[in-house]
Amino acid sequence: MTTSPAPSPGPLPPSGPPTHAGSGRPRRLSARAMLSAAPLATAVAAFTYAAAAFAVVLSGQKLPLADPAVPVELAPLNGPLGEVLRYLLPAAAVLGGGLALAVHVRRRPGRLLAGAAAGYAVLYSAVVLLLIVDTRLLTMLGYVPFLLVLAFTDTAALPENYGWPIVGHQLVLLAGVALWGMTAAAGLRASSGACLRCGRRDGGLGWLTAGAARRWGTPVTLAAAAVPAAYGATRFAWAAGIPLGISPEFLAMMQETGMVYAGLGLASMALLGTLLTLGLIQRWGSVFPRWIPWLGGRRVPILLAVIPAGLVSVVVVPAGATYLRIFTSGISTGIPFDAVNWATGAPTLLWVVWGPLLAAATLAYYLKRRTGCPRCGREG
């Protein structure tokens, strides 16, 4: 009597954390999951903003676009442009929400729909960064150490009339910039057949490869580091009593009023920004130096460098655009800006290009350091 062999159990399930609902283990939020959810999140955020903005406008109030006490010459949003944007922003949010929802519904959007989403993202980002967001966010970042000291020593000295509704509105619009960036990336990757997680595709990515990023990343990073270095150098010189780029008379006035020391906080943050930017092309930007306790010799997490650099690259653009409008308007602000006092404004006018340079340097850092994709298997 023969015994038939036992049936094969078939291939074993892949090892690793289970993904079914009852596993009890949290699932890691991957880049693919974030990009897949981005169009729907963008649509929900856009429709929510549109509803809130229309409610504000129809109630007879105004969206907090600018400080109404500032003259229109220095704050164009207090003029006709602001009146147009108060109605255009919620209307554009409805249009954008519908476009993002279409990208979500079409899991494989065509090139036309993906291109429309990318074009909307660029236009929306340009309006927000160049027209709406001002210097407040960058100033807050620059004075973070000073504000932290006040928070523990003298809370009464914290700024009360900083225009917090305006700042909150700007933060909401900046969150929209981030969402639209991810939505555009998701649409373009899906329409081109690229990996939704890493963006790689067969045939290579040209200048977006790691090898190409090593070539063009270095000069871009050096240029990005030079802009805050120039700003910090002038302010440190003034604090030391050296009239670098300004007249001796203006330096004496700033010394009498204490203005010369008020800029030390921003100058220190600018110097720190220069050092951190240079770290994008230095070994210590990829591996913690040995002298750092507990971290020495370990690899620097990519996002630890990418997220702060990306944030700064965004907020410096509107700050530079604001200073560009101020110093080219011809309106007297009490700060001279001429051939003799060129350092009062020239370094800040470079912030408009500092943002794109820093963003490109950050992208090069990411492209050089990212590893192979666990989803598509393409190498880094």
Side-chain angles (χ1 to χ4, degrees):
M1 178 176 178
T2 59
T3 303
S4 59
S8 172
L12 295 175
S15 60
T19 58
H20 55 273
S23 65
R25 292 188 182 184
R27 283 190 276 183
R28 185 178 179 182
L29 186 60
S30 65
R32 177 178 179 270
M34 293 177 62
L35 284 179
S36 298
L40 180 59
T42 302
V44 172
F47 289 138
T48 303
Y49 174 83
F54 273 128
V56 171
V57 173
L58 294 179
S59 66
Q61 302 179 20
K62 294 183 178 181
L63 293 177
L65 295 178
D67 185 354
V70 179
V72 66
E73 292 84 1
L74 300 180
L77 295 183
N78 282 332
L81 178 60
E83 295 299 326
V84 172
L85 284 178
R86 285 184 175 92
Y87 295 95
L88 183 60
L89 284 177
V94 174
L95 174 63
L99 187 59
L101 189 60
V103 175
H104 170 72
V105 172
R106 295 283 302 275
R107 293 294 182 181
R108 184 74 182 270
R111 293 185 180 274
L112 181 60
L113 179 58
Y120 185 95
V122 172
L123 181 60
Y124 170 81
S125 301
V127 171
V128 171
L129 296 180
L130 298 179
L131 295 180
I132 299 178
V133 180
D134 54 23
T135 62
R136 287 179 174 86
L137 297 181
L138 182 62
T139 302
M140 288 176 60
L141 290 177
Y143 285 118
V144 161
F146 176 69
L147 294 176
L148 288 178
V149 171
L150 287 181
F152 288 99
T153 59
D154 187 8
T155 56
L158 290 172
E160 297 180 359
N161 188 21
Y162 195 69
W164 298 113
I166 300 175
V167 172
H169 186 239
Q170 292 179 5
L171 289 174
V172 168
L173 295 180
L174 280 179
V177 171
L179 286 173
W180 267 110
M182 291 190 293
T183 297
L188 292 174
R189 289 180 180 182
S191 66
S192 64
C195 175
L196 191 58
R197 188 182 192 279
C198 69
R200 299 181 180 96
R201 63 175 183 267
D202 294 333
L205 293 175
W207 61 277
L208 291 177
T209 62
R214 291 187 181 93
R215 293 190 295 270
W216 59 262
T218 298
V220 168
T221 304
L222 293 175
V227 177
Y231 176 88
T234 57
R235 273 57 184 175
F236 278 122
W238 300 348
I242 303 173
L244 177 60
I246 57 174
S247 65
E249 294 77 16
F250 185 63
L251 176 61
M253 186 275 291
M254 288 196 297
Q255 290 173 333
E256 293 175 0
T257 59
M259 289 175 57
V260 68
Y261 304 109
L264 278 179
L266 287 176
S268 301
M269 295 300 290
L271 178 60
L272 178 62
T274 297
L275 296 176
L276 293 179
T277 302
L278 292 176
L280 299 176
I281 55 175
Q282 299 295 324
R283 175 175 170 76
W284 54 266
S286 301
V287 179
F288 287 108
R290 293 287 182 183
W291 53 267
I292 298 181
W294 301 293
L295 295 176
R298 297 178 180 269
R299 292 178 61 84
V300 176
I302 296 180
L303 294 183
L304 186 62
V306 169
I307 292 178
L311 175 62
V312 173
S313 69
V314 171
V315 298
V316 297
V317 172
T322 301
Y323 283 118
L324 183 62
R325 289 192 297 268
I326 291 175
F327 286 112
T328 58
S329 64
I331 303 298
S332 176
T333 60
I335 300 178
F337 178 54
D338 48 39
V340 176
N341 299 282
W342 57 266
T344 58
T348 59
L349 299 183
L350 296 176
W351 289 358
V352 176
V353 297
W354 179 21
L357 286 173
L358 182 57
T362 306
L363 175 62
Y365 174 85
Y366 168 77
L367 294 174
K368 290 183 295 183
R369 289 206 55 202
R370 66 174 180 170
T371 57
C373 179
R375 180 173 183 265
C376 68
R378 295 181 178 91
E379 293 298 325

